[in-house]
Amino acid sequence: MASVISQNYDLLCNMVIRPPRLMYELHDLGPKQFSLQGKRFLRTDFQLVNARGLTVHCSHFEPFDDQYNEGWKLLPCVIYCHGNGGGRLDALEAVRTLLPNNITVLALDFAGSGLSEGEYVSLGYFEKDDVAVAVNYLRETGRVSTIGLWGRSMGAVTALLYARDDPTIAGMVLDSPFSSLSKVAEELVTSVQQKIPKFVVSLGLKVIRGSIKKKARFDIKALDVVSQVHQCFIPALFVHARDDNFVRPHHSECLHEKYGGDKNRILIDGDHNSVRPEFFTDSVIIFFNNTLGGPTKGEGLSRRPSLAAASATNNVGPASFSASAGQDQVDDTEEEIMRRAKCVAFGNTDRIQQGQLESVFGGSFTASPNNKSSYAPTPRSGPDAPMSLMDMLHESPSQSMENLFPPMFGLDGGEEDDDLQLALYLSSLDAANKEAGEAKGEKEKEKKDTKPQKRVEKKDKSSSKTSLKSSKDDVNK
């Protein structure tokens, strides 16, 4: 039995950090120029370098330039995050689904997978850093409007871990994520050998944990995803197959329950590796169309930057928008701004990179000793220069909500004050949260005050019963 247990744990350890590597050639991705539903598209292959200095191989699928006769347009982009043992080949279904709907796709081989460098995988722990360099690359090119994530299994967990710290992501499709890596490992061991005592399983998992720490430099306890998702507010679509025996459906159910943002969950037929049904892809299209928005017109942007330069760049700069087109881009990415505003209103500015704050609100943010952020308005080149969202609020703090008109409040008016209204909405969220917190504190105080009174009442009742009993005894005597 000892040999069987040892084999099972060795197998489980390899399943986590060194599954069979997907080996393929670039031509397996298909021709670089291709057509879908009568439209012509182009695949551009390039390389990025992640935070650990490892080369990550990527491909960006997007339309030909000559399809934009009225000027270059910014298109939304979805980064496809593959599962354990997968690679860019897994993204081809996403390419066929999203490209005809004016959504570009960036596919990558995570470090340790496919053609990318790296010896081990980490089921999301380090993979989130690969997503970070991909997002920064897309922002730097200036060719995308909003960014979404589509992940499967390990890729879904990677998306969750990354999005927790980047509220600029517009939406996520999460197919078969696990809630806790330790729980998955325990379930896999017991499913292979039903009669193993629990204390033996616990001991074996400790051995695996130590081995993974030594080899792959991460702790599987850090992949307790369910304890972190309450901090994520990005719209998310959870998906799971009913007969998934590898990552069981209760994992996504638990994540969906604890998730902090707008969410939905659908169950589909099949198992962990089944081909997803058509209604699932239809749901994905509807979801991303609602969260990412459509193409937007850009100004002053290069039609196709040098990808050779991007390949040679080790450190890609922080997310940012072009200052010259700031007002138009703020208007075009209203959904994204609202998500960031919500994150700021909930007091999460310490988790937002300075560049991300400045790219939305304009001006500059600096961290204060209490880990909050202070705002300094951007110097304007003239009285007619466009103002950022926070600059408007800074100059007109006394504007009344009733005098403004954003669609979300159902008021009448034009569009020129949308940015100011968004800022006011941010402030109203902050005030509402503060009021809710005060109300909760008052209720808890009332509960504490009423508890002693109840004890006193019970004591009075018991004493009255005692006196009544003693009086009856005196009568009997």
Side-chain angles (χ1 to χ4, degrees):
M1 182 176 177
S3 62
V4 173
I5 294 174
S6 177
Q7 291 175 4
N8 286 336
Y9 283 118
D10 289 341
L11 176 62
L12 183 58
C13 187
N14 288 332
M15 287 173 64
V16 174
I17 62 173
R18 187 58 278 157
R21 195 177 192 122
L22 176 65
M23 302 304 297
Y24 64 94
E25 301 291 339
L26 280 178
H27 63 75
D28 294 324
L29 292 170
K32 285 195 171 184
Q33 300 180 17
F34 58 97
S35 297
L36 280 175
Q37 299 184 13
K39 297 180 181 179
R40 293 199 304 152
F41 299 95
L42 173 71
R43 187 190 84 240
T44 305
D45 303 317
F46 58 99
Q47 299 173 7
L48 300 172
V49 178
N50 67 13
R52 294 181 290 158
L54 299 173
T55 300
V56 177
H57 288 252
C58 310
S59 297
H60 192 190
F61 300 82
E62 54 188 336
F64 267 99
D65 290 351
D66 59 10
Q67 293 184 25
Y68 299 100
N69 298 322
E70 298 179 358
W72 181 252
K73 294 182 180 179
L74 302 178
L75 292 178
C77 180
V78 167
I79 300 175
Y80 187 85
C81 305
H82 63 78
N84 199 6
R88 281 182 286 180
L89 288 176
D90 299 343
L92 294 182
E93 183 59 36
V95 169
R96 287 188 287 268
T97 300
L98 299 176
L99 274 184
N101 288 277
N102 293 321
I103 300 173
T104 69
V105 178
L106 190 148
L108 73 162
D109 293 338
F110 287 126
S113 301
L115 303 183
S116 294
E117 293 181 344
E119 185 177 359
Y120 298 109
V121 299
S122 62
L123 289 174
Y125 186 84
F126 289 121
E127 284 77 8
K128 67 180 182 294
D129 299 332
D130 299 343
V131 174
V133 295
V135 169
N136 287 340
Y137 163 78
L138 290 173
R139 294 295 192 202
E140 189 182 58
T141 64
R143 299 206 309 277
V144 301
S145 54
T146 52
I147 297 176
L149 302 177
W150 181 348
R152 185 158 178 174
S153 192
M154 175 184 80
V157 172
T158 300
L160 278 168
L161 293 176
Y162 174 77
R164 181 179 69 97
D165 297 321
D166 185 357
T168 69
I169 298 301
M172 298 187 294
V173 173
L174 307 168
D175 189 342
S176 312
F178 58 78
S179 59
S180 166
L181 181 56
S182 298
K183 184 66 175 176
V184 172
E186 181 181 339
E187 291 171 351
L188 289 174
V189 171
T190 54
S191 66
V192 173
Q193 192 72 25
Q194 296 286 348
K195 296 182 180 180
I196 298 179
K198 286 188 176 181
F199 78 92
V200 176
V201 173
S202 178
L203 180 62
L205 290 177
K206 288 182 179 179
V207 173
I208 291 174
R209 181 186 179 191
S211 179
I212 290 176
K213 270 186 176 181
K214 184 177 180 180
K215 292 180 179 179
R217 307 293 182 184
F218 77 96
D219 188 353
I220 62 174
K221 290 290 186 181
L223 291 174
D224 182 32
V225 188
V226 71
S227 65
Q228 304 177 42
V229 294
H230 68 283
Q231 299 174 340
C232 191
F233 304 101
I234 295 164
L237 175 64
F238 291 85
V239 184
H240 224 113
R242 292 184 177 88
D243 298 324
D244 190 338
N245 293 321
F246 189 76
V247 178
R248 299 176 185 177
H250 71 82
H251 284 272
S252 65
E253 181 180 6
C254 185
L255 289 171
H256 176 264
E257 180 182 348
K258 301 290 185 181
Y259 193 75
D262 293 337
K263 57 194 176 183
N264 196 7
R265 180 173 179 261
I266 59 176
L267 288 173
I268 57 177
D269 293 330
D271 56 31
H272 193 71
N273 297 311
S274 296
V275 176
R276 295 326 192 202
E278 185 177 352
F279 95 88
F280 163 70
T281 56
D282 291 341
S283 300
V284 169
I285 293 170
I286 293 171
F287 174 79
F288 278 135
N289 280 337
N290 288 334
T291 56
L292 301 183
T296 59
K297 189 173 182 179
E299 297 179 6
L301 300 175
S302 60
R303 295 181 67 82
R304 192 168 298 285
S306 170
L307 293 175
S311 300
T313 302
N314 289 351
N315 298 314
V316 183
S320 62
F321 291 112
S322 168
S324 63
Q327 187 66 47
D328 288 339
Q329 291 176 359
V330 167
D331 291 339
D332 291 339
T333 56
E334 180 177 329
E335 292 288 336
E336 189 173 340
I337 291 173
M338 288 304 302
R339 275 182 289 278
R340 300 191 206 183
K342 182 177 180 181
C343 191
V344 174
F346 278 109
N348 292 325
T349 53
D350 56 306
R351 292 196 295 105
I352 306 176
Q353 296 179 9
Q354 180 178 334
Q356 294 169 349
L357 282 169
E358 294 175 8
S359 70
V360 176
F361 301 121
S364 60
F365 285 78
T366 55
S368 57
N370 61 357
N371 210 24
K372 296 296 182 182
S373 297
S374 59
Y375 175 74
T378 306
R380 299 175 67 193
S381 58
D384 298 327
M387 296 178 65
S388 70
L389 178 152
M390 290 300 286
D391 287 351
M392 286 185 174
L393 182 62
H394 186 78
E395 288 199 2
S396 305
S398 61
Q399 284 288 339
S400 171
M401 185 87 64
E402 289 75 18
N403 296 331
L404 301 169
F405 37 74
M408 56 189 167
F409 294 112
L411 303 176
D412 295 328
E415 298 178 354
E416 60 272 22
D417 289 332
D418 282 355
D419 289 348
L420 176 58
Q421 187 64 122
L422 291 175
L424 290 172
Y425 177 69
L426 183 155
S427 301
S428 68
L429 279 176
D430 194 25
N433 290 333
K434 184 177 180 181
E435 184 179 349
E438 292 175 352
K440 184 178 180 181
E442 291 178 0
K443 287 184 179 180
E444 291 178 352
K445 185 177 179 181
E446 290 177 0
K447 288 182 180 179
K448 290 180 180 178
D449 294 340
T450 55
K451 284 182 180 178
Q453 294 178 2
K454 290 181 179 179
R455 293 196 189 102
V456 172
E457 290 175 0
K458 288 182 179 178
K459 187 174 181 181
D460 292 342
K461 289 181 180 179
S462 61
S463 60
S464 62
K465 288 181 180 179
T466 304
S467 60
L468 181 61
K469 182 178 179 181
S470 59
S471 62
K472 285 183 180 181
D473 292 340
D474 293 340
V475 172
N476 292 333
K477 288 179 180 180

